[in-house]
Amino acid sequence: MTFPALRDLVEDLRHARPALWAGRSEGARSTHSIDAAQVQQAVQRFERFAPLLAQLFPELQASGGRIESALLHVPQMQQALQLPEQLGRLWLKADHSLPVAGSIKARGGVHEVLEYAEQIALQHGLLADGDYLQLASDAARAVFASYQVAVGSTGNLGLSIGVMASGLGFKATVHMSADAKEWKKQRLRARGVQVVEHAGDYAQAVAAGRALADQDTHCHFVDDEHSLSLLLGYAAAAPHLVAQLAENGIAVDETHPLFVYIPCGVGGAPGGVALGLQQAFGPHVHCFFAEPVQSPCFMVEMLAGAAALPGLEAHPSVYELGLNNQTEADGLAVPRASELAADVVRGFLGGVFTVEDETLFCHLCLLKDREGLQIEPSAAAGFSGPRALLESVAGQDYLQRQKLLPHMANATHIVWTTGGLFVPDEEYARFLARGRDLLN
């Protein structure tokens, strides 16, 4: 990106205007080496625990204990977004309906709790015969009850950690920031999870939770900013999506590019998904992260050290750009990105774009009216991706650099919806009414 273009992008960021930064530049490399074998280990861990999860959670019996979501073709939504078929077809990865936790956080959060439970079980000889159903026994639950799992969260990660940890018998504590929704706190408390409310933002809740966990040797703190286990849990989504694409006859290769648009908070979930997909499809998949205009922490992290951002050379916060980190997309209200996620995707990330809150409600409403699907505002962030990519100067430059323009008619666009299953009816009705008001 040229300096004038970069300067304009920074001005858009500072003034909370929608913007697109396109990455995948030569010379950008990750310092982390995460291979496909590590992702496969996460896939296998989910498989080992599947019988136990089916026993603990009735909603998983039909899937045999597998926590997965559908891949849906959404032609009516494509029409509503005014995306012509000459630019490819629009699909939706329905993580908003993931069972147990009701969001994409079920992937990473559940995986880390399972990995911790497996470690404790092995230490105490609870898996001597390899039967994971034994972890539902009174003896196993008595062991788990002497340990605690804690996390700092704006909501959805807390739900996934709290529900899974309490389901196995651990003590569970979720430190929640001021912007977390009340219904999420109530849902956790109903599961017997201790909810600690903090007056500050996401970063302050995480810091407080981490400090308390450090004082207890029997407490495992799930650190969304630095956890490899979380990242691998999200990356484990890739093999199932590969199979779903094949089942639908969708090719991904040099002349059939795949574009994936994922809402981004601290970056662990989209970073893990992007990692898994990059391992599966290499340069033929192009992942773009979506952020609110007031909380573009991942884009700011990607730009850190650029000449147009003097003084922001190391792990900056959105507050340093004069932004307020206030958004209706509560799960995306994060001031500072995960350094781990940023480093992992630096060499292959397609880009990051920002979205106004009003657009989230419009797209939430359109998805309900056109496809009958119900999501929360943060989950709608990805729907702005195709137009941002196809109509912006930065997006066109990216497509040209990647030699994709001749192949766009064969492209597949997947919007990854990340949450919404457990939103209370009255809360969703307010979302819908706001979207309709904006559309009218």
Side-chain angles (χ1 to χ4, degrees):
M1 183 175 279
T2 64
F3 180 79
L6 184 59
R7 183 179 57 203
D8 291 343
L9 172 61
V10 172
E11 280 303 297
D12 285 338
L13 282 178
R14 291 187 187 278
H15 290 88
R17 295 189 291 255
L20 168 70
W21 168 79
R24 198 172 284 192
S25 59
E26 292 297 325
R29 294 290 181 268
S30 169
T31 61
H32 287 82
S33 179
I34 303 174
D35 60 31
Q38 290 171 277
V39 176
Q40 188 58 31
Q41 287 171 5
V43 173
Q44 291 169 350
R45 180 168 291 111
F46 278 121
E47 286 296 316
R48 289 196 297 273
F49 273 92
L52 175 65
L53 296 183
Q55 179 172 314
L56 293 176
F57 300 98
E59 61 267 40
L60 294 180
Q61 290 177 1
S63 66
R66 292 167 182 83
I67 302 175
E68 259 306 339
S69 67
L71 178 66
L72 307 173
H73 185 213
V74 285
Q76 297 304 314
M77 188 62 177
Q78 179 166 353
Q79 185 179 51
L81 294 172
Q82 299 180 337
L83 299 172
E85 288 196 3
Q86 295 91 322
L87 297 174
R89 293 206 300 166
L90 184 68
W91 293 73
L92 181 150
K93 181 60 173 162
D95 270 15
H96 68 276
S97 63
L98 277 178
V100 178
S103 79
I104 191 173
K105 300 297 186 178
R107 299 184 183 279
V110 168
H111 177 260
E112 179 146 349
V113 174
L114 296 183
E115 184 172 11
Y116 183 58
E118 194 170 45
Q119 292 170 359
I120 299 299
L122 289 170
Q123 289 173 13
H124 289 267
L126 297 172
L127 289 171
D129 59 1
D131 181 5
Y132 279 67
L133 288 175
Q134 291 297 315
L135 300 187
S137 67
D138 291 342
R141 294 182 71 84
V143 169
F144 291 149
S146 64
Y147 291 85
Q148 181 180 180
V149 177
V151 66
S153 174
T154 57
N156 283 341
L157 181 63
L159 276 174
S160 72
I161 297 294
V163 169
M164 183 53 59
S166 63
L168 287 168
F170 288 105
K171 298 172 187 173
T173 303
V174 178
H175 297 267
M176 303 193 89
S177 50
D179 43 26
K181 300 297 185 185
E182 185 61 33
W183 69 264
K184 294 181 181 180
K185 300 172 187 175
Q186 293 175 2
R187 191 173 185 88
L188 281 166
R189 290 185 176 116
R191 288 272 189 168
V193 177
Q194 180 185 17
V195 175
V196 181
E197 300 183 53
H198 297 271
D201 64 11
Y202 165 84
Q204 291 169 305
V206 170
R210 187 188 295 119
L212 288 172
D214 285 344
Q215 301 171 20
D216 184 354
T217 57
H218 275 212
C219 181
H220 175 75
F221 184 73
V222 179
D223 195 332
D224 204 4
E225 297 178 19
H226 306 102
S227 172
L228 179 59
S229 183
L230 281 178
L231 197 80
L232 292 173
Y234 298 122
H240 188 250
L241 180 60
V242 170
Q244 289 176 314
L245 290 169
E247 289 166 5
N248 284 281
I250 298 172
V252 179
D253 54 36
E254 186 176 0
T255 59
H256 297 82
L258 172 64
F259 297 88
V260 182
Y261 311 93
I262 319 172
C264 178
V266 73
V273 169
L275 170 66
L277 293 178
Q278 196 275 335
Q279 289 180 351
F281 297 118
H284 309 313
V285 63
H286 307 268
C287 292
F288 288 81
F289 296 174
E291 300 185 295
V293 292
Q294 288 287 355
S295 305
C297 68
F298 213 88
M299 190 188 296
V300 171
E301 182 71 26
M302 292 291 100
L303 292 170
L309 282 172
L312 300 183
E313 296 183 359
H315 200 39
S317 160
V318 300
Y319 298 127
E320 295 174 52
L321 272 71
L323 300 172
N324 62 24
N325 194 37
Q326 299 296 307
T327 172
E328 293 286 348
D330 59 309
L332 310 185
V334 178
R336 204 182 301 269
S338 160
E339 290 180 277
L340 170 63
D343 184 70
V344 165
V345 304
R346 195 175 298 279
F348 58 81
L349 181 64
V352 187
F353 60 95
T354 58
V355 187
E356 294 177 316
D357 277 10
E358 289 79 2
T359 304
L360 303 179
F361 288 99
C362 290
H363 289 168
L364 176 150
C365 183
L366 288 174
L367 187 65
K368 177 65 172 178
D369 290 346
R370 297 302 182 93
E371 302 286 353
L373 299 175
Q374 183 169 315
I375 61 175
E376 62 185 355
S378 59
F383 286 107
S384 296
R387 292 186 74 85
L389 179 65
L390 299 169
E391 296 183 356
S392 68
V393 173
Q396 286 296 302
D397 176 68
Y398 178 86
L399 296 176
Q400 187 170 10
R401 281 192 287 114
Q402 300 297 318
K403 299 180 174 58
L404 295 168
L405 288 172
H407 310 302
M408 291 308 293
N410 300 325
T412 299
H413 302 268
I414 298 178
V415 172
W416 208 292
T417 54
T418 48
L421 179 63
F422 298 135
V423 173
D425 291 343
E426 62 275 14
E427 185 98 350
Y428 181 74
R430 287 194 290 271
F431 296 159
L432 207 56
R434 182 167 173 181
R436 293 221 166 96
D437 286 345
L438 290 164
L439 288 170
N440 294 330

